[in-house]
Amino acid sequence: MGDLYALDFDGVLCDSCGESSISAVKAAKLRWPELFVTVDSSMEDWIVDQMHIVRPVVETGYENLLLVRLLLEIKISSLRKSSVAEGLTIDGILENWSKIKPVIMEEWSENREALVDLFGKVRDEWIENDLATWIGANRFYPGVPDALKFASSQVYIVTTKQGRFAEALLRELAGVTLPPQRIYGLGTGPKVEVLKMLQKQPEHQGLTLHFVEDRLATLKNVIKEPELNGWNLYLGDWGYNTQKEREEAATYSRIHLLQLSDFSKKLK
């Protein structure tokens, strides 16, 4: 009958960490200019380096802004406005981000929608002013563009990235044009709801369903939904996850740990 693949974007198809980290620094400077008065380029480079390490905790793009500011507060004690920064380590962020995030949002009086809008606007302006460097700050994982181009399966993108950015990268960097109705981006609802919607569509009846993610937490949410028992679940070991998360994933009978070379073969 055939296969349907629902694919996460960042961390499964595209390594966007360079772009999202630089965009987050640009956006943070606009949101909190007073914090950046004494920040020089070497400090910015340090932040971007650390962002690559803490990237596994990010579910939605705007969280990158929070991480940039938190890293600043960890590094420069005079800038601290949050109760969590003192003594906090990179490992501490990786372990406890879900507890830290609501605390700093409240202590910094931040609004999720405003940060989402700002992050999107900074990216839009970068794309408008210098598309080549924006594209160049992203990279598709080896073999993925060809796997998408020659996929014999039905492919859908299910991502918390704003859809227009995923579409632009697929087109400009991978040379892949997916119809917009195949891309479910930020604002289309939680991933579990998108998967429910996809499996109910008449044209998908009888297809074998596969969902590839790099966030263990997202796969655990799918497992909690009995309605989604028909999906084969995969954690991409090349994406934004930690060794500890990969080991935990191995304890779930429903989650298959997937390597990049096998992923590309599956799609073809």
Side-chain angles (χ1 to χ4, degrees):
M1 284 295 293
D3 296 274
L4 180 153
Y5 277 86
L7 308 174
D8 178 38
F9 190 82
D10 295 316
V12 168
L13 304 180
C14 183
D15 179 3
S16 58
C17 193
E19 181 274 319
S20 60
S21 302
I22 296 165
S23 290
V25 171
K26 288 174 186 261
K29 284 176 162 177
L30 292 173
R31 183 71 193 88
W32 307 293
E34 70 286 356
L35 299 186
F36 283 85
V37 175
T38 57
V39 172
D40 59 12
S41 60
S42 65
M43 175 66 89
E44 283 185 25
D45 291 344
W46 176 82
I47 290 171
V48 170
D49 285 345
Q50 301 308 306
M51 290 292 286
H52 283 82
I53 305 170
V54 296
R55 181 60 181 77
V57 304
V58 174
E59 183 177 11
T60 307
Y62 80 95
E63 294 172 55
N64 286 293
L65 273 84
L66 300 175
L67 287 164
V68 165
R69 177 165 176 181
L70 186 58
L71 287 166
L72 258 187
E73 289 201 9
I74 288 171
K75 197 76 170 163
I76 306 172
S77 56
S78 60
L79 298 180
R80 280 180 200 153
K81 290 277 195 299
S82 67
S83 58
V84 295
E86 190 174 349
L88 186 62
T89 60
I90 297 298
D91 282 345
I93 295 175
L94 288 169
E95 292 281 321
N96 300 304
W97 179 241
S98 61
K99 296 187 187 84
I100 291 169
K101 190 175 74 170
V103 173
I104 57 180
M105 285 287 281
E106 188 174 330
E107 291 180 342
W108 297 340
S109 307
E110 287 305 328
N111 171 278
R112 183 186 186 276
E113 279 64 42
L115 293 176
V116 168
D117 287 348
L118 174 62
F119 198 48
K121 204 164 89 180
V122 164
R123 286 171 143 169
D124 283 332
E125 283 174 8
W126 187 357
I127 289 169
E128 205 174 300
N129 298 331
D130 191 355
L131 179 64
T133 64
W134 183 78
I135 293 289
N138 295 273
R139 68 176 187 101
F140 276 82
Y141 293 104
V144 165
D146 279 349
L148 289 170
K149 277 178 203 162
F150 303 114
S152 51
S153 317
Q154 293 212 38
V155 171
Y156 287 81
I157 308 293
V158 182
T159 176
T160 54
K161 197 184 195 75
Q162 288 169 311
R164 63 186 185 276
F165 301 130
E167 208 175 329
L169 287 166
L170 283 165
R171 188 180 61 246
E172 301 285 341
L173 198 55
V176 173
T177 307
L178 274 186
Q181 63 270 27
R182 292 279 183 101
I183 300 176
Y184 290 85
L186 185 64
T188 53
K191 290 186 180 183
V192 288
E193 298 306 323
V194 174
L195 296 182
K196 285 176 190 174
M197 188 168 54
L198 286 174
Q199 74 182 16
K200 282 179 187 154
Q201 290 175 1
E203 65 271 27
H204 298 152
Q205 300 315 301
L207 294 180
T208 304
L209 306 172
H210 309 271
F211 178 45
V212 186
E213 245 297 340
D214 70 314
R215 290 192 80 248
L216 177 60
T218 306
L219 293 174
K220 284 158 79 170
N221 285 339
V222 174
I223 291 170
K224 284 180 200 155
E225 302 275 343
E227 208 181 314
L228 297 175
N229 281 349
W231 287 85
N232 294 293
L233 305 179
Y234 306 89
L235 183 75
D237 75 352
W238 62 92
Y240 307 131
N241 46 57
T242 62
Q243 180 60 35
K244 191 176 169 192
E245 286 167 331
R246 293 189 284 276
E247 287 165 9
E248 188 187 339
T251 67
Y252 287 85
S253 58
R254 281 212 38 212
I255 299 176
H256 308 279
L257 205 57
L258 191 60
Q259 293 181 322
L260 185 55
S261 55
D262 293 333
F263 170 61
S264 292
K265 281 185 211 134
K266 276 181 178 295
L267 279 190
K268 288 182 178 177

